[in-house]
Amino acid sequence: MAYDQSAMLKLLRPAMTRILTPLGRALVQRGIGPNAVTAIGTLGTVICALVFYPVGQLWWGSLAITIFVLFDLLDGVVARMGGGGGTTWGAFLDSTLDRLADAAIFSGLIIYFFVQRDLLMAAVALFCLVAGALVSYVKARAEGLGLTCDVGLAERPERLVVGLVAAGLSGLGVPYILPLGMWLLAAASAITVVQRVVHVHRQIGAR
């Protein structure tokens, strides 16, 4: 199930839950649990990112990835409807596979930029990949120490929206949108890391 509780996800979750409920009910009736849904969504995302993006199919790749990303909400729907898997293991699996999906998306974009011989943007996309992983790690490490870390400009849903929208619009021929999106995402991710480190430091200093 999805555990990222950013502002964007809180706004989207009620509407998406209503849309996905019929599909969730059908999966439960067929004995498909939330962990299987999570795995399918991740596998689909990885395949689409590494097949479509490197060959320049940015629009179709982004569209397909967006469909599979919705599985991150569908698994929660399945769990609540009795599909099983709403456990600590489910939370661990979801978080781990989220990192894999994110890595595949940005790896696909990095390869795309390399194919285009745009080494600068390949480096920016690599920074987005590393910074995104660091954003998640800082939060996980802080919570593992008993601290809170629910702060930051760009959590996972925001990063996915910026990256997928920029790539998709670029695939439709919108000029400069992909470099702009990558630079914006790099800056937002860096700011988020700093915000979280400062937040954790303040909590520790108060003890």
Side-chain angles (χ1 to χ4, degrees), residues 100-174:
L100 177 60
D102 293 351
I105 292 171
F106 287 99
S107 293
L109 290 173
I110 291 168
I111 297 172
Y112 165 75
F113 286 125
F114 266 114
V115 171
Q116 299 297 314
R117 292 185 171 85
D118 192 341
L119 298 184
L120 175 60
M121 290 312 306
V124 174
L126 177 60
F127 179 87
C128 290
L129 190 161
V130 174
L134 189 56
V135 166
S136 299
Y137 172 79
V138 171
K139 180 176 181 178
R141 181 58 176 155
E143 292 179 344
L145 294 172
L147 305 170
T148 62
C149 200
D150 293 319
V151 298
L153 178 64
E155 297 191 51
R156 184 174 187 257
E158 289 82 4
R159 296 197 307 273
L160 285 177
V161 167
V162 172
L164 292 176
V165 169
L169 291 179
S170 179
L172 290 176
V174 178

Side-chain angles (χ1 to χ4, degrees), residues 1-5 9 13 72 85-87 90-92 94-95 139:
M1 65 195 71
Y3 291 91
D4 193 331
Q5 294 297 314
L9 193 57
R13 184 181 294 279
D72 203 35
T87 62
F92 171 81
D94 182 78
S95 297
K139 180 176 181 178

